[in-house]
């Protein structure tokens, strides 16, 4: 099976980075209106409960599939599913580093997977820059 193709979820992509910020600071940003607009799209307003609908300014609709404060947010995004998750980096003795992950599944093709890889890498760069400014 080609890289990125799963038996159950179609094509998928994951992008992660260790950020030099504690998990609470990363969570506070990624779940804030500014952070949600950055990774999900401008205009998206998430209600942190399963089944809550949202719509972006670009017209993409979806719903919250899971929301665990301090841990992860999982939403449908059009025909795909997107998850943002964080974990303390190891060694986590000082708690000053966090691994941030974006994962998207149910992509249509290998080509869409590659486009989304570039998209999520760009989002990760923007999140890292925003956190560095805080």
């Amino acid at each position: 099976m080609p890289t990125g193709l799963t038996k159950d979820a179609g094509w998928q992509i994951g992008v992660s980075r260790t950020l030099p910020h504690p998990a609470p600071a990363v969570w506070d940003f990624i779940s804030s209106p500014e952070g949600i607009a950055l990774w999900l799209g401008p205009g998206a307003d998430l209600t942190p409960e399963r089944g809550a609908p949202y719509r972006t300014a670009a017209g993409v609709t979806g719903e919250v599939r899971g929301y665990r404060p301090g841990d992860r947010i999982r939403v449908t995004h059009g025909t795909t599913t997107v998850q943002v998750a964080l974990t303390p980096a190891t060694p986590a003795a000082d708690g000053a580093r966090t691994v941030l992950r974006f994962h998207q599944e149910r992509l249509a093709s290998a080509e869409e997977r590659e486009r989304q890889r570039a998209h999520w890498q760009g989002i990760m760069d923007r999140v890292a820059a925003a956190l560095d400014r805080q």
Side-chain angles (χ1 to χ4, degrees), residues 16-89:
S16 67
R17 184 178 300 173
T18 301
L19 301 170
H21 303 281
V26 176
W27 178 262
D28 287 349
F29 176 75
I30 212 70
S31 64
S32 73
E34 179 187 0
I36 290 169
L38 200 153
W39 67 268
L40 193 53
D45 181 22
L46 290 185
T47 301
E49 60 186 49
R50 188 174 174 87
Y54 74 89
R55 181 182 190 89
T56 69
V60 177
T61 60
E63 72 176 39
V64 175
R65 290 290 173 92
Y67 195 103
R68 293 195 311 215
D71 183 45
R72 71 190 65 233
I73 302 169
R74 187 171 173 86
V75 298
T76 60
H77 189 256
T79 60
T80 70
T81 301
V82 174
Q83 178 172 278
V84 59
L86 48 108
T87 55

